[in-house]
C-alpha cells in the first residue's frame, strides 16, 4: 500500500429494534376479546336455543288451551277488504250486538312491510288505539302502543324494545313515561331470559314505577324459570310480592293439548 493512500470506510449494517406500536390499552382489549371469543365458542358447543320471552312463558296454556281471549257474548260480524299483499294493506269493519266487551262498531286498518307494521282501530265512541312496530335488525324490534279516549279518559303510551339473541331474550318496556311533573314518572320493566341447558331457561324481571314525582319509587324483582321437555313445558314465576305462579302444558296428540295454571300467595306465619 502506497504512503498517503486513503482507505474508504465500509458501512456496517446495524439492527435497530422496531418500536412497538401497541399500547397497554390495546393489549387489554385483545385479552378481553380473546376471553369473549372463547366464552362464545363454549356457548356454541352447548347447542342452546332461544328460550322465548318472559311475557310469553305461558303462551301455550293461555293462548292455545284457554279460550278466554276468544269468548264473547252476543253476535259479531267482520267485513275485511285486502287492498295489497306486498306491502300488506287492509281495512276492516267490525260489528257487534249484545256484547258487553265489544263496541257496536269498530274500524280497523293495517299496513305492514318486512320492517314496519302499523295497526289502528277507532270505535263508535271515537276511542283510538294504534300500534307501530319497527324492526331495526333481525334481532332488534321496537314496538309502540297508544290509546286515546275522546273524553276526559286517560292517554296511555307503551314503548317496548325487544332483542332476540341466539340463546337469550332481553327487553325494556316503558308505560306512560313522563318528565313533565318535575321528575321521572311511569312504569319501567326489564326482562331477561337465558337458556342454561337445552331444556332449562332462567331469567328475571325488574319493575320500577313512580306515579307522582314527589313520591318515592316502588321496585319489584321477579324470578322466572322455564323447562321444555319433548312434549311438555313447565314454568314458574316467583314474585317479589311473595306470589308464585306456575303453569304446565302437554301435547297429548296431534289435535289434543292440555294445560293448567296455579297461582299462590305466599304469606309468612304470624307469631
Amino acid at each position: 500500500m502506497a504512503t498517503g493512500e486513503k482507505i474508504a470506510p465500509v458501512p456496517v449494517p446495524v439492527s435497530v429494534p422496531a418500536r412497538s406500536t401497541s399500547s397497554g390499552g390495546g393489549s387489554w382489549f385483545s385479552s378481553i376479546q380473546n376471553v369473549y371469543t372463547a366464552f362464545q365458542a363454549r356457548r356454541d358447543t352447548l347447542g342452546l336455543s332461544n328460550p322465548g320471552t318472559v311475557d310469553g312463558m305461558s303462551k301455550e296454556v293461555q293462548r292455545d288451551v284457554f279460550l278466554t281471549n276468544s269468548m264473547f257474548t252476543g253476535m259479531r260480524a267482520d267485513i275485511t277488504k285486502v287492498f295489497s299483499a306486498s306491502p300488506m294493506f287492509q281495512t276492516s269493519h267490525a260489528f257487534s250486538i249484545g256484547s258487553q266487551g265489544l263496541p257496536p262498531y269498530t274500524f280497523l286498518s293495517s299496513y305492514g312491510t318486512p320492517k314496519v307494521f302499523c295497526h289502528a282501530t277507532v270505535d263508535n265512541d271515537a276511542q283510538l288505539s294504534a300500534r307501530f312496530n319497527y324492526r331495526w335488525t333481525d334481532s332488534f324490534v321496537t314496538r309502540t302502543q297508544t290509546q286515546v279516549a275522546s273524553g276526559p279518559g286517560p292517554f296511555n303510551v307503551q314503548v317496548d324494545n325487544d332483542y332476540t339473541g341466539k340463546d337469550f331474550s332481553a327487553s325494556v318496556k316503558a308505560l306512560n313515561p313522563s318528565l313533565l311533573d318535575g321528575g321521572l314518572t311511569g312504569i319501567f320493566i326489564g326482562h331477561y331470559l337465558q337458556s342454561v341447558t337445552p331444556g332449562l331457561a332462567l331469567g328475571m324481571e325488574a319493575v320500577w314505577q313512580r306515579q307522582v314525582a314527589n313520591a318515592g319509587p316502588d321496585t319489584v324483582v321477579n324470578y322466572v324459570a322455564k323447562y321444555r321437555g319433548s312434549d311438555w313445558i313447565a314454568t314458574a314465576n316467583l314474585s317479589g310480592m311473595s306470589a308464585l305462579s306456575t303453569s304446565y302444558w302437554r301435547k297429548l296428540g296431534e289435535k289434543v293439548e292440555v294445560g293448567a295454571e296455579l297461582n299462590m300467595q305466599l304469606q309468612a306465619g304470624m307469631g
Side-chain angles (χ1 to χ4, degrees), residues 105-135:
Y105 171 75
T106 304
F107 174 77
L108 304 89
S109 178
S110 300
Y111 174 83
T113 66
K115 282 186 171 293
V116 176
F117 176 75
C118 304
H119 178 78
T121 64
V122 58
D123 59 17
N124 54 285
D125 294 330
Q127 180 173 348
L128 174 65
S129 177
R131 289 192 300 163
F132 177 79
N133 302 347
Y134 187 82
R135 182 174 296 277

Side-chain angles (χ1 to χ4, degrees), residues 83-161:
F83 294 93
S84 174
S86 180
M88 184 271 292
F89 177 62
Q90 66 181 32
T91 60
S92 300
H93 303 270
F95 304 89
S96 64
I97 300 175
S99 175
Q100 297 180 353
L102 298 176
Y105 171 75
T106 304
F107 174 77
L108 304 89
S109 178
S110 300
Y111 174 83
T113 66
K115 282 186 171 293
V116 176
F117 176 75
C118 304
H119 178 78
T121 64
V122 58
D123 59 17
N124 54 285
D125 294 330
Q127 180 173 348
L128 174 65
S129 177
R131 289 192 300 163
F132 177 79
N133 302 347
Y134 187 82
R135 182 174 296 277
W136 304 92
T137 65
D138 293 339
S139 302
F140 183 50
V141 181
T142 297
R143 298 180 173 90
T144 61
Q145 299 183 34
T146 305
Q147 292 182 350
V148 182
S150 59
F155 176 80
N156 298 320
V157 177
Q158 178 176 327
V159 181
D160 298 3
N161 294 282

